[in-house]
Amino acid sequence: MTEINTRVFLSIIIIIVFLTGGTTLYLNLSGTINETQGEHVVFQTLDMVKIHGNYYQGEQVKGIILIHMLGEDRNVWNELAIEINNAGYTVLTFDSRGHGSSITQNNKEINWTLFDKNDYEDMVFDLDAAISFLNMKEITNISVVGSSLGGNIALKYLSSYDEIIERNEYLTTYDKIIEAEKNNTISNLVLISPGLNYKEIDTEDAIKNIGNVNILFIVSKEDSGSLNSVQTLESYHSNSEKIIYDGRNHGTEIIKDEKARGSIILWLKEVF
């Protein structure tokens, strides 16, 4: 038995749980828990994408999912994930489909650089699988932090999930009915540098149909595109706040600053 700044367990755990007609696969691949990256886990989406993530068990039965922006991977969240976890929350980060280690769908390789509009919309299944993974851990009270496209995907999930599953070729008609009736467990959103129609993910219509979800917008003053998007989106959702930072940083570039990370944690403590 060796140590890599971790506790090492010899067993490999495989749990297959049937949820609402679909299959969620969970593996603790390495058997290790790393102090900076949590526990490496893998779970499968309804459309057969194998998603790699980092899981940080918290003291509270409250979960926070972090979704990175286009072209990045889950490791951009390491600092924030640890700090949120230290505040008592369970945290799950993951590589969105076509990114990082999440590059296999039905045993075929996928890459985000080749995605079209439908492929980007299908990222809602990544979030759905992440929620199902936390549900399996008996965590049903969930907040989401999304950076740029990641935030747009969260809005799309809340507003249009039932429409997107209709074209999922991997689901039976019965599965689609069950999925469409799935209760939403997201109560709070942190949207960092969101867009209105980035990669054709329409958030302007989406935000009108997400119900009474608390939203914190975070944006930089000189990131004019995202700032305009935030001003438009907040006009449709009264239950929202925004923080504007100096500079032109976009997405996860903003949360490299300790103050910005602290503001997210403070807000989560107030609403969650």
Side-chain angles (χ1 to χ4, degrees):
M1 182 175 292
T2 61
E3 290 188 5
I4 314 174
N5 298 322
T6 63
R7 295 179 58 194
V8 181
F9 300 90
L10 295 178
S11 60
I12 297 175
I13 302 170
I14 299 178
I15 302 173
I16 299 178
V17 179
F18 293 91
L19 295 170
T20 61
T23 302
T24 294
L25 174 68
Y26 160 54
L27 298 88
N28 177 355
L29 281 189
S30 60
T32 65
I33 299 178
N34 187 290
E35 291 178 359
T36 61
Q37 296 182 334
E39 177 187 355
H40 179 200
V41 297
V42 178
F43 45 91
Q44 186 167 280
T45 69
L46 290 169
D47 60 344
M48 306 296 288
V49 178
K50 196 174 291 184
I51 300 293
H52 289 251
N54 292 339
Y55 176 72
Y56 306 76
Q57 178 66 54
E59 298 172 356
Q60 303 182 40
V61 190
K62 295 179 180 179
I64 298 175
I65 297 171
L66 310 181
I67 313 175
H68 63 77
M69 63 184 187
L70 187 67
E72 294 189 334
D73 62 37
R74 66 190 189 272
N75 292 313
V76 299
W77 296 115
N78 287 348
E79 284 186 289
L80 180 61
I82 291 169
E83 291 169 4
I84 293 176
N85 184 239
N86 287 340
Y89 299 101
T90 292
V91 181
L92 177 62
T93 67
F94 64 86
D95 293 339
S96 296
R97 63 184 57 207
H99 293 75
S101 300
S102 302
I103 55 172
T104 304
Q105 181 177 26
N106 200 21
N107 297 318
K108 297 179 181 178
E109 188 170 325
I110 55 175
N111 190 301
W112 69 268
T113 61
L114 303 176
F115 281 4
D116 60 19
K117 178 181 183 293
N118 286 344
D119 293 318
Y120 286 114
E121 279 196 345
D122 285 347
M123 286 181 173
V124 298
F125 295 121
D126 306 348
L127 176 54
D128 176 68
I131 291 172
S132 294
F133 174 84
L134 289 183
N135 290 168
M136 186 183 69
K137 298 284 190 178
E138 299 185 351
I139 297 171
T140 57
N141 193 1
I142 295 170
S143 295
V144 173
V145 180
S147 175
S148 192
L149 180 64
N152 295 2
I153 294 300
L155 283 175
K156 196 69 176 179
Y157 174 83
L158 286 171
S159 67
S160 308
Y161 183 66
D162 55 340
E163 298 174 13
I164 295 171
I165 63 173
E166 276 300 313
R167 58 174 175 74
N168 187 325
E169 62 187 43
Y170 296 94
L171 296 180
T172 67
T173 300
Y174 175 76
D175 291 336
K176 291 177 181 180
I177 293 172
I178 296 299
E179 283 296 313
E181 294 176 350
K182 182 183 290 184
N183 289 330
N184 166 40
T185 57
I186 299 175
S187 53
N188 307 288
L189 286 177
V190 178
L191 303 179
I192 308 171
S193 308
L196 291 182
N197 199 33
Y198 186 51
K199 297 300 181 184
E200 299 185 74
I201 303 298
D202 182 0
T203 57
E204 191 169 356
D205 284 337
I207 200 168
K208 300 173 186 177
N209 299 295
I210 64 170
N212 191 33
V213 177
N214 299 309
I215 298 180
L216 173 64
F217 294 105
I218 295 179
V219 68
S220 294
K221 187 181 298 183
E222 295 178 45
D223 182 5
S224 58
S226 293
L227 180 59
N228 291 337
S229 297
V230 166
Q231 291 169 340
T232 299
L233 293 172
E234 70 171 344
S235 70
Y236 296 116
H237 197 78
S238 59
N239 197 20
S240 64
E241 305 173 44
K242 69 174 180 289
I243 301 175
I244 302 176
Y245 289 102
D246 290 332
R248 62 184 65 190
N249 286 337
H250 181 83
T252 46
E253 288 291 321
I254 296 175
I255 57 100
K256 288 182 178 179
D257 180 70
E258 184 178 1
K259 180 181 177 181
R261 297 196 304 272
S263 67
I264 292 173
I265 296 170
L266 180 62
W267 184 80
L268 287 169
K269 285 182 176 179
E270 291 175 352
V271 301
F272 193 39

